[in-house]
């Protein structure tokens, strides 16, 4: 429907320009011929030049307008593609294959709630380093690595930041508050570990306080 409307609008605009140029040609010619008392050949020559100059200007304006529309269309397309890509990436966290990971992480938080505090973080690290707790360690590391990847892409502009915040804002903050002592301890040996996740989580937590 919009395309049909645009085509009709374009046809009407072309006819309007054509009629306007014809009227302009006649008006200028008559001005030169009867008011300026120019010869017919001179009047036609200067009238044609003026009309062509107006036509060239209108053509230039049309191309500028068309270029602006193309840029806007491309920007809208890019935003839509970015939004779709963002939803696709973020939806991985809620896929069936992540259900076991999320459940293991929930159990880890419940079991080690006390040891996740700063003064007992060594006990927490000892717990997840125990081979018998390998699944819970994997759940933790997988989740933090996923958050890190999403955060890095969002900060770099490869994901739509507002969509990521809408989907993960509360979750990022809640998990960061829980695991910040663990993250800080790991960063003593590896400063870049989950640094993007930490940066984004802190940014959103601070924005909530404002």
């Amino acid at each position: 429907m919009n395309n049909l409307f645009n085509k009709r609008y374009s046809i009407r605009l072309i006819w309007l320009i054509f009629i306007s140029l014809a009227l302009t040609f006649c008006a200028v010619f008559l001005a030169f011929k009867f008011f300026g008392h120019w010869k017919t050949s001179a009047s036609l020559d200067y009238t044609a030049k003026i009309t062509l100059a107006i036509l060239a200007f209108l053509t230039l304006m049309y191309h500028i307008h068309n270029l602006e529309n193309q840029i806007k269309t491309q920007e809208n397309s890019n935003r839509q593609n970015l939004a779709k890509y963002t939803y696709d990436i973020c939806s991985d966290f809620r896929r069936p294959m992540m259900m076991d990971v999320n459940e293991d992480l929930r159990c880890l938080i419940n079991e080690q709630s006390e040891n996740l505090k700063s003064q007992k973080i060594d006990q927490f690290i000892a717990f997840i380093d125990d081979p018998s707790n390998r699944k819970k360690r994997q759940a933790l590391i997988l989740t933090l690595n996923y958050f890190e990847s999403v955060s890095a892409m969002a900060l770099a502009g490869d994901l739509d930041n507002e969509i990521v915040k809408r989907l993960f804002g509360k979750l990022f903050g809640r998990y960061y508050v829980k695991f910040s002592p663990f993250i800080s301890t790991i960063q003593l040996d590896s400063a870049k570990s989950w640094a993007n996740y930490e940066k984004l989580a802190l940014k959103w937590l601070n924005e909530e306080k404002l």
Side-chain angles (χ1 to χ4, degrees):
M1 188 66 181
N2 288 334
N3 290 335
L4 180 61
F5 174 78
N6 290 334
K7 288 179 181 178
R8 289 178 178 174
Y9 175 78
S10 298
I11 293 172
R12 290 176 182 174
L13 182 61
I14 291 171
W15 274 108
L16 180 62
I17 293 173
F18 177 78
I19 294 171
S20 298
L21 286 173
L23 292 174
T24 301
F25 184 91
C26 294
V28 173
F29 174 77
L30 291 174
F32 283 143
K33 177 67 177 176
F34 295 103
F35 294 99
H37 304 291
W38 288 21
K39 293 181 178 180
T40 300
S41 59
S43 297
L44 286 173
D45 182 50
Y46 278 93
T47 300
K49 289 178 180 178
I50 291 172
T51 304
L52 289 174
I54 294 173
L55 179 61
F57 175 75
L58 292 175
T59 302
L60 177 62
M61 294 301 296
Y62 169 78
H63 285 300
I64 291 174
H65 177 69
N66 191 44
L67 179 60
E68 288 179 347
N69 284 337
Q70 289 179 358
I71 292 173
K72 289 179 180 178
T73 300
Q74 186 61 47
E75 288 177 347
N76 290 334
S77 177
N78 290 341
R79 281 195 293 269
Q80 290 176 357
N81 290 336
L82 181 63
K84 183 180 183 304
Y85 180 64
T86 302
Y87 277 115
D88 288 343
I89 292 294
C90 293
S91 64
D92 287 342
F93 189 72
R94 293 176 173 84
R95 293 187 188 279
M97 63 180 181
M98 288 293 293
M99 292 180 62
D100 291 340
V101 172
N102 294 334
E103 180 61 22
D104 288 338
L105 187 60
R106 187 187 68 81
C107 291
L108 176 64
I109 293 173
N110 289 338
E111 292 175 11
Q112 294 293 308
S113 180
E114 286 298 316
N115 290 339
L116 278 168
K117 297 177 180 178
S118 298
Q119 61 271 25
K120 294 185 177 181
I121 198 61
D122 289 340
Q123 296 179 40
F124 174 77
I125 293 175
F127 176 84
I128 61 173
D129 283 344
D130 189 327
S132 63
N133 298 317
R134 182 171 57 88
K135 283 189 64 178
K136 291 174 182 176
R137 175 183 176 84
Q138 287 177 341
L140 172 61
I141 301 303
L142 183 63
T143 300
L144 291 178
N145 287 345
Y146 175 78
F147 286 173
E148 172 68 9
S149 298
V150 170
S151 299
M153 295 175 73
L155 291 170
D158 295 328
L159 295 180
D160 188 304
N161 185 74
E162 289 304 313
I163 293 177
V164 175
K165 184 178 180 180
R166 198 179 308 131
L167 295 174
F168 286 130
K170 298 291 185 182
L171 188 65
F172 272 29
R174 188 163 65 248
Y175 276 18
Y176 179 76
V177 170
K178 288 286 185 183
F179 293 111
S180 59
F182 171 71
I183 292 173
S184 298
T185 301
I186 298 300
Q187 286 176 344
L188 293 176
D189 295 324
S190 179
K192 294 184 178 180
S193 295
W194 308 303
N196 290 295
Y197 165 56
E198 181 177 47
K199 180 179 180 180
L200 197 58
L202 287 173
K203 177 176 180 291
W204 289 343
L205 285 170
N206 290 331
E207 287 175 356
E208 287 183 2
K209 295 177 182 178
L210 297 178

